[in-house]
Amino acid sequence: MALLEIRDVTRRFGDFVAVDGVSLSIGAGEFFTLLGPSGCGKTTLLRMIAGFDQPDAGSIEIDGKNTVGVPPEERNVHTVFQSYALFPHMTVEQNVSFPLRMSKCPQAELAPRVREALEDVSLLGMEKRYPNELSGGQRQRVALARALINRPKLLLLDEPLAALDAKLKERMQLELITLQKEVGVTFIYVTHDQEEALALSHRIAVMNKGKVEQLDQPATIYGFPKNRFVADFIGECNLLDCTVSAVTDGTMILDVEQLGRVVASGANGTTAGTKGALALRPEKVSIARELTAESCVNRFNGRIFDYLYTGDVTLYIVEVDNGRRVEVMLPNNAVGRSSKFFEPGDAVQIGWRDDAGSFLPD
Amino acid sequence: MSPRAQKWVISGPPLGYLLIFFAIPTFIMVLASFRFAGEFGGLAPLVGTGNPDELSGLTFENYQRFFEDTIYLELFLKSFIYATVTTLLCLGVAYPLALMIARSDKRWRELLVLLVILPFWSNFLIRVYAWMIILGPQSGFARAVNGVLGTFGAEPIPLLYSPIAVIIGLVYVHLPFMVLPLYVNLEKHDPALLDAAQDLGAGAWQRFWKVTFPLSLPGVYAGAALVFIPALGIFAIPDILGGTDGILIGNVIKQQFLDARDWPFGSVLSMVLTVLAILFAGLAAWVARHQRI
Ligand SMILES: Nc1ncnc2c1ncn2[C@@H]1O[C@H](COP(=O)(O)OP(=O)(O)O)[C@@H](O)[C@H]1O
Ligand SMILES: [Mg+2]
């Protein structure tokens, strides 16, 4: 039995549907992520799980028990708020022991359990500090320790790393993974940052406009997006509008606008005449002055139109002879001072394997 | 401009303000409390003209007089008790009101705050006189109160010209000074803190006592100081609502200056009042600092 069972949950604000018929089933011990652009209803869904808001339709079950009418303080669910919401008038120790004191935990147990909780998040020695004497990362850890100290069934995290700088964010991501494994609590993690979602999660639900667009493991979400929205939202992606012109033995011939004929595998059930898009990740496209790789069944000539240098990789925008622009990613692994391979205007060939992209029917 | 000059430009005006409106008057009062009363009121000259019948110079006489008769200390104690009761009642009435305003819809908040300060638009004395009518023996209010008392078999009590009337007047007049600092404080509270407390298992009562109230203490101290200190020295309300034994220390000070025309002794009483007020303000500030909020 799933730990959290969400069935057809809908939440409206006036005419606006913030959460639209969402169903999710989340197992014990899972690191589950709700990923979607700002305003897609992630926080609203989380607030309903925590008990701060009620669904207009559908049901939420925790441990097989319907949660209707159960207030937040009686749910075995804790939240780490984006602002951390640490109590400014309490020390770290008092903040962390707050849930224990609310549940009338015996006085003698407080100190050892606070110690243990602070050890989990490597904050020993900070007991007497106040929140305004801590750095952003330390506050984050206090919020985690406080939410985990009485081992809730479910921990909800609403964009907990959004306020941290890039380096610290990366470190906290690693710590979160370790912490989740250690404590074994089910995490439901909300973020609009796709890289973070891919890095952390066992499973991801990609949300858009209140609906779940795709629910899968990170590699599946990234490698086999189900539709244009997911392909576009997760990572960089070329979305090439096309029509299926022929299907043979599970292989499709696609007629791509402003590009030409493209061979693609994985036809499963698609019929000729279907319109859609070919989703092609920039790193799956090869680029060279002259392509030699035999495996690139799809090859096109073009010129470098522009590029975006980001240090480790360069994203080239190649304009093929028929006019379509394709993004191609290349690691900057050339030896020597100049690590870029091409300049705008250079004539190049691009190509990809038949299984490099996926066809998304409209 | 040099940093030194800049510092003076910034701190100059407030310092000047304090000098003109606090330091100089206080100094004049201190000096007056050590002088002799003039023959026809006011103060005797500081430097005599040489006439042996004329009083001049400085004296401890006024302070001696203050400590010789316990009546003044008793009046201070009485004023202190009235001011304390007023402050506590104001807090009790103002806190729920301020909380309600702070948690009401943003659209209504400004209007509600306006309603709190609306009484300031009419004259203070008129508002206190209005209470004479409300508390007077013929008023519906007094009859209702005595009717209720009657059903319990108690004797009817006069409301007007009683300590109850003074306390009601004091609470009524000072209420906005408690509501406003409390509201300003409560309005700033991050609602996420209450969500967090509830999420972590705190019921409504615990959320109030563990989060809202401790965080509102600076507002409580500010409001208490703004109510307690003026209530300690007030004379108009006991004059109008208090009847013959309703007087407080403020009334005596007023009498010394306006009726007895004994400025030095009035200054002594004012000095003691000022020192007490500063002590309480300092105490409130100290407590607030050591609560670390
Ligand atoms: N209490 C509310 N009243 C009206 N609209 C709301 C309320 N809460 C959220 N919304 C709307 O619902 C949508 C989803 O909000 P939210 O769940 O906070 O999105 P996310 O967390 O994914 O950014 C937003 O367009 C927001 O304006
Ligand atoms: Mg949100």
Side-chain angles (χ1 to χ4, degrees):
Chain A
M1 183 184 58
L3 175 66
L4 176 69
E5 194 72 58
I6 298 175
R7 286 201 197 92
D8 288 318
V9 162
T10 296
R11 178 73 174 106
R12 297 183 197 88
F13 297 111
D15 288 341
F16 180 77
V17 187
V19 173
D20 192 356
V22 167
S23 296
L24 296 171
S25 177
I26 297 169
E30 202 172 348
F31 198 129
F32 189 92
T33 296
L34 294 169
L35 172 66
S38 189
C40 73
K42 306 180 297 288
T43 299
T44 307
L45 185 57
L46 220 55
R47 286 180 68 83
M48 288 189 285
I49 300 171
F52 290 111
D53 201 1
Q54 306 302 324
D56 292 316
S59 70
I60 298 174
E61 282 175 17
I62 299 174
D63 246 356
K65 284 189 264 318
N66 200 315
T67 56
V68 171
V70 182
E73 62 265 39
E74 283 163 28
R75 294 189 186 194
N76 204 349
V77 173
H78 288 178
T79 310
V80 173
F81 294 85
Q82 184 175 343
S83 61
Y84 313 144
L86 298 181
F87 304 121
H89 56 299
M90 297 183 196
T91 59
V92 167
E93 195 171 28
Q94 291 166 331
N95 263 287
V96 172
S97 65
F98 188 84
L100 297 181
R101 287 184 281 137
M102 290 305 108
S103 60
K104 309 271 183 304
C105 173
Q107 196 69 28
E109 273 182 41
L110 291 186
R113 288 185 63 180
V114 167
R115 217 192 126 73
E116 201 182 323
L118 289 178
E119 212 170 342
D120 281 346
V121 295
S122 12
L123 268 185
L124 281 182
M126 300 280 176
E127 288 85 350
K128 301 292 177 218
R129 298 253 190 118
Y130 284 88
N132 65 358
E133 296 164 341
L134 300 175
S135 70
Q138 290 170 333
R139 280 180 215 176
Q140 169 71 73
R141 285 170 220 214
V142 176
L144 277 168
R146 185 178 70 173
L148 284 169
I149 192 164
N150 57 2
R151 292 290 183 265
K153 288 238 159 66
L154 258 178
L155 185 70
L156 312 178
L157 303 102
D158 194 354
E159 314 221 5
L161 306 184
L164 304 181
D165 59 71
K167 258 267 159 338
L168 190 56
K169 204 171 183 169
E170 214 165 283
R171 215 175 85 201
M172 285 305 299
Q173 287 176 0
L174 289 171
E175 287 186 20
L176 272 177
I177 296 175
T178 319
L179 185 65
Q180 198 263 341
K181 252 188 232 146
E182 241 171 57
V183 299
V185 170
T186 306
F187 278 28
I188 300 183
Y189 192 94
V190 159
T191 183
H192 63 263
D193 180 337
Q194 34 106 8
E195 282 181 32
E196 195 167 290
L198 294 172
L200 293 176
S201 328
H202 296 142
R203 283 195 305 157
I204 300 174
V206 183
M207 286 182 68
N208 184 34
K209 296 186 180 149
K211 287 194 167 81
V212 173
E213 298 274 355
Q214 185 170 0
L215 198 166
D216 265 314
Q217 293 178 354
T220 318
I221 296 262
Y222 185 82
F224 305 96
K226 253 193 189 146
N227 55 36
R228 280 174 194 255
F229 175 81
V230 177
D232 199 34
F233 188 71
I234 315 283
E236 296 290 328
C237 197
N238 292 292
L239 283 172
L240 309 172
D241 292 316
C242 59
T243 314
V244 179
S245 63
V247 182
T248 39
D249 292 345
T251 300
M252 295 173 282
I253 307 296
L254 304 175
D255 194 4
V256 179
E257 287 167 31
Q258 289 184 294
L259 189 73
R261 284 163 50 88
V262 169
V263 182
S265 59
N268 41 29
T270 317
T271 51
T274 312
K275 282 186 179 301
L278 177 68
L280 192 60
R281 299 280 179 201
E283 72 273 16
K284 296 268 178 80
V285 184
S286 308
I287 181 169
R289 289 191 200 281
E290 198 140 352
L291 276 182
T292 47
E294 292 300 309
S295 55
C296 290
V297 293
N298 302 297
R299 275 183 213 214
F300 300 93
N301 293 323
R303 281 178 187 285
I304 302 289
F305 174 75
D306 207 347
Y307 66 87
L308 192 69
Y309 175 76
T310 57
D312 49 352
V313 296
T314 302
L315 189 72
Y316 293 99
I317 298 167
V318 176
E319 192 171 279
V320 298
D321 290 348
N322 284 347
R324 161 67 67 180
R325 284 179 193 157
V326 178
E327 292 181 359
V328 184
M329 194 183 280
L330 204 56
N332 294 323
N333 55 4
V335 183
R337 274 189 83 78
S338 166
S339 58
K340 244 183 8 259
F341 288 100
F342 308 106
E343 292 296 334
D346 287 358
V348 290
Q349 270 196 334
I350 59 170
W352 59 89
R353 292 157 54 113
D354 58 352
D355 60 355
S358 45
F359 176 71
L360 312 173
D362 284 339
Chain B
M1 209 178 340
S2 72
R4 222 188 140 82
Q6 248 173 13
K7 211 162 109 189
W8 280 109
V9 167
I10 293 166
S11 57
L15 279 179
Y17 182 93
L18 279 177
L19 190 73
I20 293 169
F21 293 105
F22 181 73
I24 293 176
T26 306
F27 175 73
I28 292 173
M29 199 172 71
V30 172
L31 197 63
S33 71
F34 287 104
R35 288 168 69 173
F36 292 101
E39 219 171 323
F40 307 105
L43 299 168
L46 210 48
V47 183
T49 51
N51 181 350
D53 296 338
E54 197 189 56
L55 289 168
S56 67
L58 298 174
T59 175
F60 283 105
E61 223 173 57
N62 305 310
Y63 284 92
Q64 255 166 11
R65 185 174 149 204
F66 174 79
F67 288 107
E68 263 163 18
D69 194 340
T70 55
I71 179 79
Y72 302 110
L73 285 172
E74 279 162 25
L75 271 172
F76 266 108
L77 184 66
K78 183 179 170 196
S79 299
F80 179 85
I81 292 169
Y82 272 63
T84 306
V85 171
T86 302
T87 307
L88 292 177
L89 287 176
C90 274
L91 186 63
V93 177
Y95 207 107
L97 184 63
L99 200 58
M100 189 204 80
I101 299 175
R103 296 201 181 155
S104 61
D105 198 312
K106 250 205 173 84
R107 284 171 298 176
W108 298 108
R109 269 186 232 162
E110 275 174 28
L111 180 70
L112 291 169
V113 172
L114 189 72
L115 288 178
V116 169
I117 56 173
L118 200 62
F120 289 131
W121 290 2
S122 71
N123 184 282
F124 166 78
L125 288 176
I126 291 174
R127 286 182 286 133
V128 180
Y129 276 114
W131 276 104
M132 281 182 81
I133 300 169
I134 298 171
L135 299 173
Q138 295 312 310
S139 74
F141 179 67
R143 280 192 236 171
V145 169
N146 282 317
V148 171
L149 286 177
T151 60
F152 289 103
E155 292 290 302
I157 52 160
L159 289 180
L160 192 56
Y161 307 130
S162 72
I164 295 176
V166 176
I167 292 287
I168 289 177
L170 285 171
V171 170
Y172 164 73
V173 163
H174 291 105
L175 197 57
F177 297 105
M178 186 64 95
V179 175
L180 291 179
L182 279 176
Y183 164 75
V184 168
N185 174 290
L186 290 168
E187 197 253 350
K188 282 186 310 205
H189 287 199
D190 179 1
L193 293 181
L194 289 178
D195 279 355
Q198 187 174 15
D199 189 75
L200 297 168
W205 199 241
Q206 288 169 314
R207 292 201 290 279
F208 178 77
W209 286 112
K210 299 284 180 197
V211 181
T212 305
F213 188 73
L215 285 174
S216 72
L217 282 177
V220 172
Y221 296 138
L226 286 179
V227 171
F228 184 84
I229 293 169
L232 201 55
I234 201 151
F235 61 84
I237 292 171
D239 250 2
I240 300 169
L241 301 174
T244 39
D245 6 298
I247 60 161
L248 298 174
I249 195 67
N251 300 77
V252 181
I253 295 175
K254 190 198 104 187
Q255 278 161 15
Q256 292 303 317
F257 277 100
L258 300 182
D259 307 332
R261 301 188 62 72
D262 188 344
W263 288 18
F265 192 60
S267 299
V268 168
L269 297 176
S270 302
M271 274 309 301
V272 176
L273 191 61
T274 306
V275 168
L276 279 179
I278 290 175
L279 278 180
F280 279 107
L283 185 71
W286 185 83
V287 172
R289 175 133 0 111
H290 285 258
Q291 296 266 347
R292 274 202 49 96
I293 357 191

